[in-house]
Amino acid sequence: MYKEDYPSQLLENAVNAIGSLPGVGTRSALRLALHLLRQPAENVHHFTKAIDDLRDNVCWCSECRMISDAPICSICDDNSRNHKQICIVESVQDVMSIEKTGQYHGVYHVLGGIISPINGIGPSDLTIQALKDRLDKAKADCGGTVLSDIEIILALPGDVEGETTAFYLYRQLSPYGVQVTAIARGLGFGDGLQYADSLTLGRSIAGRQPFKAQ
Amino acid sequence: MYKEDYPSQLLENAVNAIGSLPGVGTRSALRLALHLLRQPAENVHHFTKAIDDLRDNVCWCSECRMISDAPICSICDDNSRNHKQICIVESVQDVMSIEKTGQYHGVYHVLGGIISPINGIGPSDLTIQALKDRLDKAKADCGGTVLSDIEIILALPGDVEGETTAFYLYRQLSPYGVQVTAIARGLGFGDGLQYADSLTLGRSIAGRQPFKAQ
């Protein structure tokens, strides 16, 4: 039998590396390693270079903390967007999802996580101070008045942790005099009422809107 | 909206690279890319180096075509193993599976695939010529007689392609005078008879063995 179950130390190293990715088990890692081994060497180098490049050269926007190729991301750098609307999201993926809707023309702020005592993530682990710095700067720019023309849109997950984070942010942002709104909660497009859970349906009724014929 | 849906070209390149792996969709690739981005740079470099090292430095055993760290693999190089038993398998994984049983003490030959006209894989795409060369060499070493003391064990998948390959190999190897055997087909350990398909159960009956009390 092989020492450590692998016929090659190099294979074992690669399987361990690939298997360290979340959601990739040892068997899948072995399959992927052997797949890479069957590819031309230049394809494999292209694969690893793309990952190294991402890790080494990516920027985070100094305004909104979104992933970016430049110190200021293309959204924050876009003057045609409404810089008085700041949408607060948990992650990079959330920004991409909202951008895909084509319905939002403001800017963002990426928290980089969500307050979660169970996972040991507190407010100081998020980019909340950077958000306050943004608002302080806006306040200084407009001469120190309250920021009633700025709308902060909370677009956080609809679970307990998301609600906790929203509540915390609401308390932190109130002194700035900004308007704080939250994205609508309710029945998804195509959902049937009988399949919705009571919390969702309850919120959907409580958050009803004047009907608009389109 | 972002050009091409990605906030960063570097991210897009990495997602495309990771998404080119079999069984990894774009959404998983994005999740993995962002996971790697959160890791320390040295961990990511260790990850990519393990893959580059595998691709660049791995050897294939010149005897059995198994993956190896040396020109001759640790099994072919082991004199305590029976070199008169050669187990023919489809893939590297198959060798690892058989080694894990601890039941086999001969050597191997890895075909590197299976005859499959649908996938355009013919006998010349496999390492069959290398196997014949091994037998020719064995014949020359023992003075040109037939190789009746060599057992070739066909351990190929139990599907049509495996059977086709087994039949092809049987015809190719017969002139050498080697014994050709095949691994037993039948009911798996713990399987109930009523759940087995008729082909498996039929083979299980046809291939019955004298009962041995253990």
Side-chain angles (χ1 to χ4, degrees):
Chain A
M1 281 221 274
Y2 295 119
K3 193 168 49 101
E4 303 283 334
D5 295 343
Y6 287 93
S8 148
Q9 187 62 46
L10 293 169
L11 179 66
E12 183 175 357
N13 293 347
V15 169
N16 288 341
I18 298 172
S20 73
L21 295 173
V24 181
T26 308
R27 199 177 283 257
S28 296
L30 176 61
R31 188 174 52 81
L32 294 175
L34 292 171
H35 166 82
L36 287 166
L37 208 43
R38 280 193 302 269
Q39 306 308 306
E42 62 186 307
N43 290 20
V44 176
H45 296 156
H46 181 266
F47 170 86
T48 53
K49 188 172 178 305
I51 292 170
D52 280 335
D53 274 354
L54 174 69
R55 184 64 189 79
D56 295 338
N57 301 324
V58 87
C59 299
W60 298 93
C61 173
S62 60
E63 281 284 304
C64 71
R65 309 297 156 142
M66 180 61 181
I67 196 172
S68 165
D69 286 336
I72 298 282
C73 78
S74 59
I75 292 178
C76 288
D77 202 34
D78 183 350
N79 286 326
S80 74
R81 297 190 69 124
N82 184 355
H83 286 246
K84 301 278 184 196
Q85 279 186 327
I86 305 177
C87 181
I88 314 289
V89 295
E90 177 184 0
S91 71
V92 167
Q93 285 107 314
D94 295 341
V95 174
M96 293 170 68
S97 297
I98 295 177
E99 282 300 289
K100 233 177 242 169
T101 68
Q103 297 288 312
Y104 181 64
H105 309 289
V107 294
Y108 293 92
H109 192 84
V110 181
L111 291 180
I114 205 94
I115 296 173
S116 169
I118 287 176
N119 297 315
I121 301 172
S124 61
D125 297 313
L126 310 181
T127 63
I128 295 174
Q129 189 55 49
L131 176 61
K132 287 186 184 176
D133 293 345
R134 270 175 95 169
L135 295 178
D136 284 333
K137 189 163 163 284
K139 213 167 174 178
D141 287 349
C142 71
T145 59
V146 290
L147 300 168
S148 56
D149 59 338
I150 288 187
E151 180 184 1
I152 302 280
I153 304 169
L154 301 174
L156 298 169
D159 55 14
V160 175
E161 295 169 344
E163 303 268 288
T164 307
T165 310
F167 186 68
Y168 180 86
L169 282 171
Y170 178 74
R171 298 240 301 206
Q172 294 287 310
L173 301 177
S174 291
Y176 289 94
V178 293
Q179 306 167 54
V180 181
T181 60
I183 55 167
R185 310 279 183 199
L187 226 56
F189 182 78
D191 286 359
L193 268 75
Q194 75 260 44
Y195 303 115
D197 61 289
S198 337
L199 265 174
T200 298
L201 196 54
R203 283 179 175 186
S204 203
I205 291 168
R208 66 193 179 280
Q209 303 276 325
F211 183 76
K212 279 183 284 190
Q214 303 222 323
Chain B
M1 281 221 272
Y2 296 119
K3 192 166 49 100
E4 303 284 335
D5 294 342
Y6 287 92
S8 148
Q9 186 62 47
L10 294 169
L11 180 65
E12 183 175 358
N13 293 347
V15 170
N16 287 342
I18 298 171
S20 72
L21 295 172
V24 181
T26 309
R27 199 177 283 258
S28 297
L30 176 60
R31 187 174 54 81
L32 293 177
L34 292 172
H35 166 82
L36 287 167
L37 207 43
R38 281 194 301 270
Q39 305 309 305
E42 62 186 307
N43 291 20
V44 175
H45 296 156
H46 182 264
F47 171 87
T48 53
K49 189 171 177 304
I51 292 170
D52 280 335
D53 275 354
L54 173 69
R55 184 63 188 80
D56 295 339
N57 301 325
V58 87
C59 299
W60 299 93
C61 174
S62 60
E63 281 285 304
C64 69
R65 309 297 155 141
M66 180 61 181
I67 197 172
S68 166
D69 287 335
I72 299 282
C73 78
S74 59
I75 291 178
C76 288
D77 202 34
D78 183 350
N79 286 324
S80 74
R81 297 191 68 126
N82 183 356
H83 286 248
K84 301 277 184 195
Q85 280 186 327
I86 305 178
C87 180
I88 314 288
V89 295
E90 176 183 0
S91 70
V92 167
Q93 285 106 314
D94 295 340
V95 174
M96 292 170 68
S97 297
I98 295 176
E99 282 301 290
K100 232 176 242 168
T101 68
Q103 296 290 311
Y104 181 65
H105 308 289
V107 296
Y108 294 93
H109 193 84
V110 181
L111 291 179
I114 205 94
I115 296 174
S116 168
I118 287 177
N119 295 316
I121 300 170
S124 59
D125 298 311
L126 310 182
T127 63
I128 296 174
Q129 189 54 50
L131 176 62
K132 287 184 183 176
D133 293 345
R134 272 175 94 168
L135 295 177
D136 283 332
K137 190 164 162 283
K139 213 167 172 176
D141 286 351
C142 72
T145 59
V146 290
L147 300 168
S148 56
D149 58 339
I150 287 187
E151 179 185 1
I152 302 279
I153 303 168
L154 301 174
L156 297 169
D159 54 13
V160 175
E161 294 168 344
E163 303 269 287
T164 307
T165 309
F167 186 68
Y168 180 86
L169 283 171
Y170 178 73
R171 298 240 300 206
Q172 294 286 311
L173 300 178
S174 291
Y176 289 94
V178 293
Q179 307 167 54
V180 181
T181 60
I183 56 167
R185 310 281 184 199
L187 227 55
F189 182 77
D191 287 358
L193 268 76
Q194 76 259 45
Y195 304 116
D197 61 290
S198 337
L199 265 174
T200 298
L201 196 53
R203 283 179 176 186
S204 204
I205 292 168
R208 66 192 178 280
Q209 304 276 324
F211 183 75
K212 278 184 284 189
Q214 304 220 325

